[in-house]
Amino acid sequence: MLLEAAAEKWGVPVAELTTELGVVAHLASNRRLSYGDIAAFAKAPTELPKITDSDLKDPSAFRYIGKDVPRRELALKTTGAAKYGIDAQVPGMVYAAVLHSPYEGGEPETVDDAAARAMPGIANVVKVPGGVAVIGNSVEGTQAAKRKLKVIWSTAPAASLDSERSLVDYAATARDQSRSGTPWRPIGDANAAMTTAAQVFRSEVYRTRYVYHAQMEPMNATASVAADGKSAEIWSGTQSPSLLLNEVAKALKIERTNITFHQHFVGGAYGRRGGPQDVVVEAALISKAVGKPVKLIWSREDDIGMGKFRPMTVHYIEAGFDNGGKLIAWHHRIVADSVAGYRAAVYGTVPPKNDVIVMKGSPLPQYPIPNKLAEHVIEQSGVRLSSLRGVGVGCNAFAVESFLDEIAKAQHRDPLEFRLALSDGEPRAQALLRAVAEMSDWMRPRNNTAIGLAFMEKDETYAAGVAEVSVDRATGKIKVHNIWAAIDAGLAVQLKNLAYQTEGSIVFGLGHALREKITIKDGRVQETNYTDYQVPRMSDVPNIEVRVVSTDNPPTGAGEDGQPLVAGAIGNAIAALTGVRLRELPFSPARVKDALNA
């Protein structure tokens, strides 16, 4: 269409034209028109051109696809020049800190703010939904004054939540098949096939805890609402600018076209910065209340206490085999809150039937089992929830891959050979399994270490991983020495960037596997900072090798596909090394030591 428009403009045959970097060129006359220039006069045809595969560029002629293009922002981030939301500076701005309800749904009933107002530099104290804001001339001063507030909070259902008790209740629900769940992409008839199976394996329950995003940049926003309250300006880093505009407009009761938004780099918390824009809305409401630009920063303690977590989950799985040893039936029950349901409650909308965030990774296309049923048994705990890097696949792959190793052991089969048999007919899966077997030298005997294998699928991206671990039996501390991973995200657009994303998500997953967890008692988050919510340290990070397998399948996602491999691979390696199966995340030293002693 660009070529035809330029040919008509110049009065030359379209065959004489070619395209270059953003331009249409007529080499015979040395004339060029940019695509933008052409867009100004081109007319859309009444019928779109007919395109066949032969019209598409041959991959050998790709200019960017398959090439490693430098990331332009890395120099800014490396030198500290990158501007995040927390770096925003606005003339005349004041600072704010917010004391939030310790549980979802609580509101300030009575507020004693005398001590807070008496602090140096404090200008005001105002109520916001679910909290009390202190406004002053410094971050330090507002945070200190916030701690002087005495607030009595209204009660709410979440005030009685106990995550440890809920974990036990979830396990009972997982085993109780009289309580049905919501099916997610079932294939065949798993229930019928299970009743006719020659051999049925039933798992113990697998459990995962709430986890926090633990991003480097705490939640923050800067807002300036006009004196007449009819317009606003926002400075923040977000995944969802449109959602941000909608929520601020609704909170301020103004048109979204009257909001100017300045996007900044995002300092982590993917998923958290993509859902409800609570910190931004708070900043806007505070600015409106005090009539000045306001920078709101949540402390790390605020951020954890007000975290929106990956749901806690419990898994129960059954697998049925026929007389020939073929896996013919698979039934996976996932007991968890609904992220989609939580978001619907926040926005006052009807929750969808299925929660794609929780259920991702459960259909198992990498294993062509003829009868598969994954079902979500939805609990409603009142916990604030969000998607998080790896989403439900991080929990689901841990349960699936752990159970597959348990079955392989019961059948006296090698875990790799067992998965190769299960994935017969799925060449992409088999290629990755063989790749990580080669990378890890799968059959080589080890001394004092062992290796474990895991596989995952997410949104048509496939990844396989092998972890090599050792265990200090006296302390229960796990040491991960090596992780080898292979990923097929279809046609690899940038191989190195894909490998780096996979490596980064593996490190992210190490924290979830080894130490990270959120516990809630009487509705209150018990963890407060990195002292008791321990993210991976340099000393935790093993040698990581990633192989990108580029295929002719359509390009798919690749930002979080290493994370779901980690827990399953480590757990399977521990079982191979010690004979002890760990079925609950995280594999904390105390839990490992107790399991070994038992």
Side-chain angles (χ1 to χ4, degrees), residues 379-543:
E379 294 287 347
Q380 294 179 324
S381 67
V383 173
R384 293 179 286 261
L385 302 170
S386 177
S387 52
L388 176 145
R389 192 176 190 181
V391 290
V393 194
C395 304
N396 299 336
F398 162 63
V400 167
E401 293 299 303
S402 297
F403 187 44
L404 287 178
D405 255 40
E406 292 200 70
I407 296 172
K409 181 180 180 181
Q411 294 185 344
H412 306 290
R413 299 173 71 177
D414 175 76
L416 172 65
E417 177 271 325
F418 181 60
R419 285 174 176 78
L420 286 171
L422 289 182
S423 59
D424 186 35
E426 289 292 332
R428 296 176 70 184
Q430 298 222 321
L432 293 183
L433 288 168
R434 291 192 171 97
V436 292
E438 176 195 340
M439 294 168 69
S440 61
D441 197 2
W442 177 262
M443 298 304 295
R444 176 174 61 84
R446 265 107 174 149
N447 293 320
N448 303 317
T449 67
I451 55 176
L453 173 65
F455 200 97
M456 73 109 244
E457 180 275 342
K458 178 183 175 294
D459 299 330
E460 300 180 63
T461 292
Y462 294 79
V466 171
E468 182 175 16
V469 308
S470 62
V471 178
D472 185 328
R473 291 176 177 268
T475 64
K477 183 176 173 59
I478 296 167
K479 175 67 176 176
V480 184
H481 300 273
N482 291 285
I483 293 182
W484 300 272
I487 183 167
D488 174 358
L491 177 63
V493 178
Q494 292 185 25
L495 279 80
K496 285 185 178 179
N497 195 26
L498 199 162
Y500 299 154
Q501 289 285 341
T502 306
E503 182 175 341
S505 63
I506 286 170
V507 175
F508 192 74
L510 278 171
H512 300 165
L514 299 180
R515 284 193 297 270
E516 292 181 46
K517 69 171 181 175
I518 289 290
T519 51
I520 300 172
K521 187 173 179 59
D522 296 327
R524 293 156 171 80
V525 176
Q526 300 300 292
E527 288 72 25
T528 60
N529 208 313
Y530 289 142
T531 51
D532 51 8
Y533 189 90
Q534 296 187 8
V535 298
R537 265 59 173 178
M538 288 283 194
S539 58
D540 296 314
V541 179
N543 171 60

Side-chain angles (χ1 to χ4, degrees), residues 298-379:
W298 290 2
S299 69
R300 182 63 61 188
E301 290 80 5
D302 296 332
D303 205 304
I304 295 179
M306 274 292 287
K308 288 183 168 61
F309 307 125
R310 186 186 72 183
M312 183 171 67
T313 67
V314 173
H315 306 254
Y316 176 76
I317 311 175
E318 296 177 313
F321 290 78
D322 65 13
N323 284 317
K326 180 180 178 181
L327 181 55
I328 59 167
W330 182 266
H331 183 196
H332 184 177
R333 287 170 57 82
I334 302 168
V335 182
D337 274 277
S338 171
V339 176
Y342 169 79
R343 287 178 175 169
V346 170
Y347 295 128
T349 58
V350 177
K353 179 182 178 182
N354 291 112
D355 189 335
V356 64
I357 299 299
V358 170
M359 297 305 288
K360 274 187 188 293
S362 60
L364 303 182
Q366 69 272 34
Y367 302 126
I369 305 164
N371 302 284
K372 289 187 277 194
L373 171 61
E375 56 179 341
H376 182 189
V377 183
I378 298 175
E379 294 287 347

